[in-house]
Amino acid sequence: MTTQTEEAGRPADAVSRESAGPGRTNRSERLSGLAQRHGALVTLVIAMVVASLGFDTFLTGDNLENMALSSAFLAVVALGMTFVIVTGGIDLSVGSLFALGGVLAAWGSQYGTVVALLLPLTVCGLIGLVNGVLIAHVRLPPFIVTLAAMLGARGVLLAVTDEGAKTYLVDKDSFFATLGQGSLAGIGVPVWITVALFVLGAVVLSRTRFGQYVYAVGGNEDAGALMGAPVARTKISVYTLSGLCAGLAGALNAAWLLSGVTILGSGMELEAISAVVIGGTLLSGGFGFVSGSLVGVLLLKVIQNVINQIGSLDSAYQQVVSGAFLAVVVVAQTWLGRRRRVL
């Protein structure tokens, strides 16, 4: 039996938690966890219901198909970014790698589909590998390393295209073009590829030893190392994966547009980071899931689509709304995280 003296010497929050009972504490903790994990999905469903009631054209087949296709390329980039952010890192180079991958794919398409895919994957993957090595072994800050890679990749892009004067085209009758413009069961091939990649990414992150290492590095790098997690190798792997995803997304986009457009990718790194964070992945690392990142991408595209359908608002409002929404999500994540620690 707890005496008055014993109770007076214990923290007030501990006493209040015990008086509330373990069932109530566990219930509050579960609700906080569910809100942190599925809040974006609930918001997406609400946004789609409101949009469908407000605009007759929102749920039409053409509009949904356009949203799915435009989401596919950003989603592939966000997939790689998810692994990076779960480790507690950041990758600012993905926008430039996306544009570079598209140009390299369009140029390589004249030599066949294999070259059109392997060239951007190799170059962008190598840039990601260099980022990982500098971050893991030289211990440079990810922000600085990937910022330098962003500028470097954009420089390579300008060199390949003669300062943007050359635009490489993709033969519309080639097999490579079908990867961007083809459809299967009425759904675009890029969408199917994106879904397959997210399924694979979910399995890797949640069901493999590598996924456990990713969470361990992001949760506590020193503790992860003590438990045997290969910290350096894991960091190198996630940045290489991020580069590969950005290069692949750029290649698919080139196949969709039938050209390598040099002006694309500006600001995409911020969109990808926003989608990942909105989807529930913590910027501090150690917590996140790829399905949430996909939901985050879709939510951003729904907001963009609604603003476009309003008509009277220009594109600048998309950035304002997305930025405000991201700020709200970060504040909510911080509050929920503190609440779970208290519980």
Side-chain angles (χ1 to χ4, degrees):
M1 180 175 179
T2 304
T3 65
Q4 185 176 1
T5 303
E6 290 174 334
E7 189 164 317
R10 291 153 60 194
D13 59 341
V15 176
S16 62
R17 287 200 305 271
E18 289 186 6
S19 62
R24 185 173 179 180
T25 300
N26 292 337
R27 183 167 58 252
S28 299
E29 186 175 0
R30 287 197 300 269
L31 290 175
S32 298
L34 287 173
Q36 194 168 14
R37 186 177 181 89
H38 300 296
L41 179 59
V42 173
T43 306
L44 174 62
V45 172
I46 294 173
M48 293 190 67
V49 170
V50 172
S52 63
L53 294 175
F55 303 98
D56 295 334
T57 58
F58 181 78
L59 288 181
T60 60
D62 290 340
N63 188 55
L64 293 177
E65 182 180 1
N66 289 334
M67 278 198 299
L69 278 173
S70 62
S71 300
F73 311 112
L74 176 60
V76 174
V77 176
L79 174 61
M81 185 71 74
T82 303
F83 281 81
V84 171
I85 294 182
V86 170
T87 63
I90 202 79
D91 191 351
L92 300 179
S93 67
V94 293
S96 294
L97 293 181
F98 173 82
L100 178 60
V103 168
L104 293 176
W107 178 85
S109 66
Q110 62 184 313
Y111 302 106
T113 302
V114 174
V115 176
L117 290 175
L118 286 183
L119 183 60
L121 287 175
T122 301
V123 174
C124 295
L126 282 175
I127 294 175
L129 175 64
V130 172
N131 287 342
V133 170
L134 292 176
I135 292 168
H137 289 299
V138 186
R139 296 186 178 277
L140 296 178
F143 181 90
I144 299 300
V145 172
T146 57
L147 178 62
M150 177 184 74
L151 299 175
R154 188 65 66 173
V156 174
L157 169 65
L158 294 176
V160 171
T161 59
D162 291 338
E163 302 293 331
K166 287 184 179 179
T167 300
Y168 300 104
L169 302 178
V170 177
D171 184 1
K172 64 179 181 180
D173 296 323
S174 65
F175 177 75
F176 178 63
T178 63
L179 294 179
Q181 296 197 332
S183 62
L184 180 64
I187 300 175
V189 172
V191 177
W192 287 111
I193 294 175
T194 301
V195 171
L197 289 174
F198 267 83
V199 171
L200 179 61
V203 172
V204 170
L205 190 57
S206 62
R207 302 293 182 182
T208 66
R209 187 178 298 273
F210 173 71
Q212 294 176 356
Y213 292 156
V214 171
Y215 283 116
V217 171
N220 188 314
E221 185 175 318
D222 294 332
L226 290 175
M227 290 188 299
V231 175
R233 191 170 72 222
T234 301
K235 289 185 176 181
I236 293 172
S237 298
V238 297
Y239 282 97
T240 303
L241 176 63
S242 182
L244 289 171
C245 287
L248 177 60
L252 293 175
N253 187 71
W256 182 46
L257 297 177
L258 297 179
S259 63
V261 182
T262 59
I263 62 174
L264 293 179
S266 179
M268 180 175 255
E269 62 280 347
L270 301 181
E271 282 189 284
I273 294 170
S274 299
V276 173
V277 175
I278 287 172
T281 298
L282 297 181
L283 276 172
S284 56
F287 180 85
F289 36 93
V290 298
S291 59
S293 299
L294 181 59
V295 171
V297 170
L298 295 175
L299 184 54
L300 289 178
K301 291 301 179 180
V302 167
I303 293 173
Q304 177 182 336
N305 188 267
V306 169
I307 292 176
N308 289 338
Q309 296 213 33
I310 292 175
S312 59
L313 301 178
D314 58 38
S315 59
Y317 284 94
Q318 297 175 10
Q319 305 300 324
V320 173
V321 174
S322 298
F325 192 77
L326 177 61
V328 171
V329 169
V330 171
V331 171
Q333 282 188 350
T334 303
W335 181 79
L336 288 171
R338 290 175 179 172
R339 180 178 174 83
R340 293 182 71 183
R341 285 196 294 271
V342 170
L343 294 175

PDB file of all heavy atoms in Angstrom, residues 66-89:
ATOM      1  N   ASN A  66      -4.889  11.756 -64.564  1.00  0.00           N
ATOM      2  CA  ASN A  66      -3.853  12.789 -64.602  1.00  0.00           C
ATOM      3  C   ASN A  66      -3.192  12.960 -63.245  1.00  0.00           C
ATOM      4  O   ASN A  66      -1.964  13.118 -63.153  1.00  0.00           O
ATOM      5  CB  ASN A  66      -4.463  14.122 -65.064  1.00  0.00           C
ATOM      6  CG  ASN A  66      -4.838  14.111 -66.533  1.00  0.00           C
ATOM      7  OD1 ASN A  66      -4.259  13.374 -67.317  1.00  0.00           O
ATOM      8  ND2 ASN A  66      -5.816  14.929 -66.903  1.00  0.00           N
ATOM      9  N   MET A  67      -3.985  12.917 -62.182  1.00  0.00           N
ATOM     10  CA  MET A  67      -3.410  13.034 -60.843  1.00  0.00           C
ATOM     11  C   MET A  67      -2.507  11.846 -60.523  1.00  0.00           C
ATOM     12  O   MET A  67      -1.432  12.005 -59.928  1.00  0.00           O
ATOM     13  CB  MET A  67      -4.519  13.145 -59.797  1.00  0.00           C
ATOM     14  CG  MET A  67      -5.090  14.532 -59.637  1.00  0.00           C
ATOM     15  SD  MET A  67      -6.002  14.736 -58.074  1.00  0.00           S
ATOM     16  CE  MET A  67      -7.290  13.514 -58.268  1.00  0.00           C
ATOM     17  N   ALA A  68      -2.937  10.655 -60.926  1.00  0.00           N
ATOM     18  CA  ALA A  68      -2.135   9.462 -60.655  1.00  0.00           C
ATOM     19  C   ALA A  68      -0.804   9.521 -61.388  1.00  0.00           C
ATOM     20  O   ALA A  68       0.251   9.205 -60.818  1.00  0.00           O
ATOM     21  CB  ALA A  68      -2.910   8.215 -61.047  1.00  0.00           C
ATOM     22  N   LEU A  69      -0.834   9.937 -62.656  1.00  0.00           N
ATOM     23  CA  LEU A  69       0.399  10.003 -63.441  1.00  0.00           C
ATOM     24  C   LEU A  69       1.341  11.072 -62.898  1.00  0.00           C
ATOM     25  O   LEU A  69       2.548  10.842 -62.772  1.00  0.00           O
ATOM     26  CB  LEU A  69       0.070  10.285 -64.907  1.00  0.00           C
ATOM     27  CG  LEU A  69      -0.345   9.079 -65.754  1.00  0.00           C
ATOM     28  CD1 LEU A  69      -0.805   9.524 -67.133  1.00  0.00           C
ATOM     29  CD2 LEU A  69       0.796   8.080 -65.870  1.00  0.00           C
ATOM     30  N   SER A  70       0.803  12.245 -62.594  1.00  0.00           N
ATOM     31  CA  SER A  70       1.661  13.310 -62.088  1.00  0.00           C
ATOM     32  C   SER A  70       2.209  12.969 -60.698  1.00  0.00           C
ATOM     33  O   SER A  70       3.276  13.451 -60.317  1.00  0.00           O
ATOM     34  CB  SER A  70       0.885  14.632 -62.042  1.00  0.00           C
ATOM     35  OG  SER A  70      -0.223  14.540 -61.169  1.00  0.00           O
ATOM     36  N   SER A  71       1.474  12.152 -59.959  1.00  0.00           N
ATOM     37  CA  SER A  71       1.940  11.742 -58.632  1.00  0.00           C
ATOM     38  C   SER A  71       3.027  10.675 -58.710  1.00  0.00           C
ATOM     39  O   SER A  71       3.868  10.569 -57.803  1.00  0.00           O
ATOM     40  CB  SER A  71       0.773  11.200 -57.797  1.00  0.00           C
ATOM     41  OG  SER A  71      -0.238  12.163 -57.620  1.00  0.00           O
ATOM     42  N   ALA A  72       3.022   9.875 -59.765  1.00  0.00           N
ATOM     43  CA  ALA A  72       3.907   8.716 -59.845  1.00  0.00           C
ATOM     44  C   ALA A  72       5.375   9.114 -59.773  1.00  0.00           C
ATOM     45  O   ALA A  72       6.167   8.499 -59.040  1.00  0.00           O
ATOM     46  CB  ALA A  72       3.626   7.935 -61.130  1.00  0.00           C
ATOM     47  N   PHE A  73       5.755  10.152 -60.497  1.00  0.00           N
ATOM     48  CA  PHE A  73       7.163  10.533 -60.564  1.00  0.00           C
ATOM     49  C   PHE A  73       7.645  11.102 -59.238  1.00  0.00           C
ATOM     50  O   PHE A  73       8.728  10.752 -58.760  1.00  0.00           O
ATOM     51  CB  PHE A  73       7.369  11.536 -61.701  1.00  0.00           C
ATOM     52  CG  PHE A  73       6.738  11.105 -62.997  1.00  0.00           C
ATOM     53  CD1 PHE A  73       5.661  11.785 -63.527  1.00  0.00           C
ATOM     54  CD2 PHE A  73       7.206   9.980 -63.673  1.00  0.00           C
ATOM     55  CE1 PHE A  73       5.071  11.376 -64.711  1.00  0.00           C
ATOM     56  CE2 PHE A  73       6.613   9.559 -64.850  1.00  0.00           C
ATOM     57  CZ  PHE A  73       5.540  10.256 -65.374  1.00  0.00           C
ATOM     58  N   LEU A  74       6.846  11.975 -58.628  1.00  0.00           N
ATOM     59  CA  LEU A  74       7.207  12.499 -57.310  1.00  0.00           C
ATOM     60  C   LEU A  74       7.229  11.383 -56.279  1.00  0.00           C
ATOM     61  O   LEU A  74       8.076  11.372 -55.378  1.00  0.00           O
ATOM     62  CB  LEU A  74       6.220  13.596 -56.904  1.00  0.00           C
ATOM     63  CG  LEU A  74       6.401  14.180 -55.496  1.00  0.00           C
ATOM     64  CD1 LEU A  74       7.774  14.814 -55.348  1.00  0.00           C
ATOM     65  CD2 LEU A  74       5.302  15.199 -55.201  1.00  0.00           C
ATOM     66  N   ALA A  75       6.313  10.425 -56.393  1.00  0.00           N
ATOM     67  CA  ALA A  75       6.246   9.330 -55.420  1.00  0.00           C
ATOM     68  C   ALA A  75       7.510   8.484 -55.445  1.00  0.00           C
ATOM     69  O   ALA A  75       8.001   8.056 -54.394  1.00  0.00           O
ATOM     70  CB  ALA A  75       5.017   8.466 -55.697  1.00  0.00           C
ATOM     71  N   VAL A  76       8.048   8.227 -56.629  1.00  0.00           N
ATOM     72  CA  VAL A  76       9.278   7.433 -56.723  1.00  0.00           C
ATOM     73  C   VAL A  76      10.430   8.161 -56.036  1.00  0.00           C
ATOM     74  O   VAL A  76      11.244   7.553 -55.325  1.00  0.00           O
ATOM     75  CB  VAL A  76       9.614   7.131 -58.202  1.00  0.00           C
ATOM     76  CG1 VAL A  76      10.970   6.435 -58.313  1.00  0.00           C
ATOM     77  CG2 VAL A  76       8.527   6.261 -58.823  1.00  0.00           C
ATOM     78  N   VAL A  77      10.504   9.477 -56.237  1.00  0.00           N
ATOM     79  CA  VAL A  77      11.535  10.268 -55.561  1.00  0.00           C
ATOM     80  C   VAL A  77      11.320  10.234 -54.051  1.00  0.00           C
ATOM     81  O   VAL A  77      12.261  10.076 -53.272  1.00  0.00           O
ATOM     82  CB  VAL A  77      11.518  11.729 -56.079  1.00  0.00           C
ATOM     83  CG1 VAL A  77      12.535  12.572 -55.308  1.00  0.00           C
ATOM     84  CG2 VAL A  77      11.828  11.769 -57.570  1.00  0.00           C
ATOM     85  N   ALA A  78      10.057  10.373 -53.625  1.00  0.00           N
ATOM     86  CA  ALA A  78       9.747  10.360 -52.188  1.00  0.00           C
ATOM     87  C   ALA A  78      10.053   9.014 -51.556  1.00  0.00           C
ATOM     88  O   ALA A  78      10.373   8.948 -50.355  1.00  0.00           O
ATOM     89  CB  ALA A  78       8.275  10.719 -51.979  1.00  0.00           C
ATOM     90  N   LEU A  79       9.955   7.942 -52.327  1.00  0.00           N
ATOM     91  CA  LEU A  79      10.274   6.615 -51.796  1.00  0.00           C
ATOM     92  C   LEU A  79      11.723   6.557 -51.330  1.00  0.00           C
ATOM     93  O   LEU A  79      12.019   6.122 -50.207  1.00  0.00           O
ATOM     94  CB  LEU A  79      10.014   5.553 -52.865  1.00  0.00           C
ATOM     95  CG  LEU A  79      10.431   4.118 -52.518  1.00  0.00           C
ATOM     96  CD1 LEU A  79       9.673   3.611 -51.304  1.00  0.00           C
ATOM     97  CD2 LEU A  79      10.201   3.189 -53.713  1.00  0.00           C
ATOM     98  N   GLY A  80      12.641   7.004 -52.183  1.00  0.00           N
ATOM     99  CA  GLY A  80      14.042   7.031 -51.784  1.00  0.00           C
ATOM    100  C   GLY A  80      14.289   7.994 -50.637  1.00  0.00           C
ATOM    101  O   GLY A  80      15.086   7.717 -49.729  1.00  0.00           O
ATOM    102  N   MET A  81      13.586   9.133 -50.665  1.00  0.00           N
ATOM    103  CA  MET A  81      13.751  10.123 -49.600  1.00  0.00           C
ATOM    104  C   MET A  81      13.289   9.569 -48.257  1.00  0.00           C
ATOM    105  O   MET A  81      13.837   9.929 -47.206  1.00  0.00           O
ATOM    106  CB  MET A  81      12.952  11.382 -49.952  1.00  0.00           C
ATOM    107  CG  MET A  81      13.137  12.529 -48.974  1.00  0.00           C
ATOM    108  SD  MET A  81      14.775  13.296 -49.056  1.00  0.00           S
ATOM    109  CE  MET A  81      14.618  14.203 -50.595  1.00  0.00           C
ATOM    110  N   THR A  82      12.306   8.690 -48.266  1.00  0.00           N
ATOM    111  CA  THR A  82      11.809   8.105 -47.018  1.00  0.00           C
ATOM    112  C   THR A  82      12.918   7.359 -46.284  1.00  0.00           C
ATOM    113  O   THR A  82      13.105   7.520 -45.069  1.00  0.00           O
ATOM    114  CB  THR A  82      10.641   7.146 -47.294  1.00  0.00           C
ATOM    115  OG1 THR A  82       9.610   7.842 -47.996  1.00  0.00           O
ATOM    116  CG2 THR A  82      10.076   6.581 -45.999  1.00  0.00           C
ATOM    117  N   PHE A  83      13.663   6.551 -47.010  1.00  0.00           N
ATOM    118  CA  PHE A  83      14.759   5.797 -46.394  1.00  0.00           C
ATOM    119  C   PHE A  83      15.807   6.747 -45.817  1.00  0.00           C
ATOM    120  O   PHE A  83      16.342   6.504 -44.729  1.00  0.00           O
ATOM    121  CB  PHE A  83      15.401   4.869 -47.429  1.00  0.00           C
ATOM    122  CG  PHE A  83      14.623   3.612 -47.685  1.00  0.00           C
ATOM    123  CD1 PHE A  83      13.528   3.618 -48.536  1.00  0.00           C
ATOM    124  CD2 PHE A  83      14.974   2.417 -47.083  1.00  0.00           C
ATOM    125  CE1 PHE A  83      12.800   2.469 -48.781  1.00  0.00           C
ATOM    126  CE2 PHE A  83      14.256   1.252 -47.313  1.00  0.00           C
ATOM    127  CZ  PHE A  83      13.160   1.278 -48.163  1.00  0.00           C
ATOM    128  N   VAL A  84      16.093   7.829 -46.548  1.00  0.00           N
ATOM    129  CA  VAL A  84      17.094   8.789 -46.076  1.00  0.00           C
ATOM    130  C   VAL A  84      16.638   9.469 -44.794  1.00  0.00           C
ATOM    131  O   VAL A  84      17.393   9.561 -43.819  1.00  0.00           O
ATOM    132  CB  VAL A  84      17.377   9.838 -47.171  1.00  0.00           C
ATOM    133  CG1 VAL A  84      18.253  10.967 -46.622  1.00  0.00           C
ATOM    134  CG2 VAL A  84      18.064   9.196 -48.370  1.00  0.00           C
ATOM    135  N   ILE A  85      15.386   9.943 -44.780  1.00  0.00           N
ATOM    136  CA  ILE A  85      14.901  10.686 -43.623  1.00  0.00           C
ATOM    137  C   ILE A  85      14.727   9.770 -42.414  1.00  0.00           C
ATOM    138  O   ILE A  85      14.941  10.195 -41.268  1.00  0.00           O
ATOM    139  CB  ILE A  85      13.588  11.415 -43.973  1.00  0.00           C
ATOM    140  CG1 ILE A  85      13.870  12.499 -45.019  1.00  0.00           C
ATOM    141  CG2 ILE A  85      12.960  12.038 -42.738  1.00  0.00           C
ATOM    142  CD1 ILE A  85      12.660  13.305 -45.412  1.00  0.00           C
ATOM    143  N   VAL A  86      14.356   8.522 -42.616  1.00  0.00           N
ATOM    144  CA  VAL A  86      14.241   7.588 -41.492  1.00  0.00           C
ATOM    145  C   VAL A  86      15.593   7.419 -40.798  1.00  0.00           C
ATOM    146  O   VAL A  86      15.655   7.217 -39.580  1.00  0.00           O
ATOM    147  CB  VAL A  86      13.683   6.229 -41.954  1.00  0.00           C
ATOM    148  CG1 VAL A  86      13.788   5.187 -40.840  1.00  0.00           C
ATOM    149  CG2 VAL A  86      12.219   6.359 -42.368  1.00  0.00           C
ATOM    150  N   THR A  87      16.691   7.514 -41.549  1.00  0.00           N
ATOM    151  CA  THR A  87      18.022   7.442 -40.925  1.00  0.00           C
ATOM    152  C   THR A  87      18.424   8.753 -40.267  1.00  0.00           C
ATOM    153  O   THR A  87      19.513   8.839 -39.687  1.00  0.00           O
ATOM    154  CB  THR A  87      19.105   7.066 -41.957  1.00  0.00           C
ATOM    155  OG1 THR A  87      19.195   8.094 -42.967  1.00  0.00           O
ATOM    156  CG2 THR A  87      18.821   5.733 -42.599  1.00  0.00           C
ATOM    157  N   GLY A  88      17.573   9.777 -40.360  1.00  0.00           N
ATOM    158  CA  GLY A  88      17.900  11.068 -39.780  1.00  0.00           C
ATOM    159  C   GLY A  88      18.641  11.988 -40.721  1.00  0.00           C
ATOM    160  O   GLY A  88      19.151  13.034 -40.294  1.00  0.00           O
ATOM    161  N   GLY A  89      18.700  11.640 -42.015  1.00  0.00           N
ATOM    162  CA  GLY A  89      19.402  12.454 -42.997  1.00  0.00           C
ATOM    163  C   GLY A  89      18.454  13.281 -43.845  1.00  0.00           C
ATOM    164  O   GLY A  89      17.253  13.375 -43.586  1.00  0.00           O
TER     165      GLY A  89
END
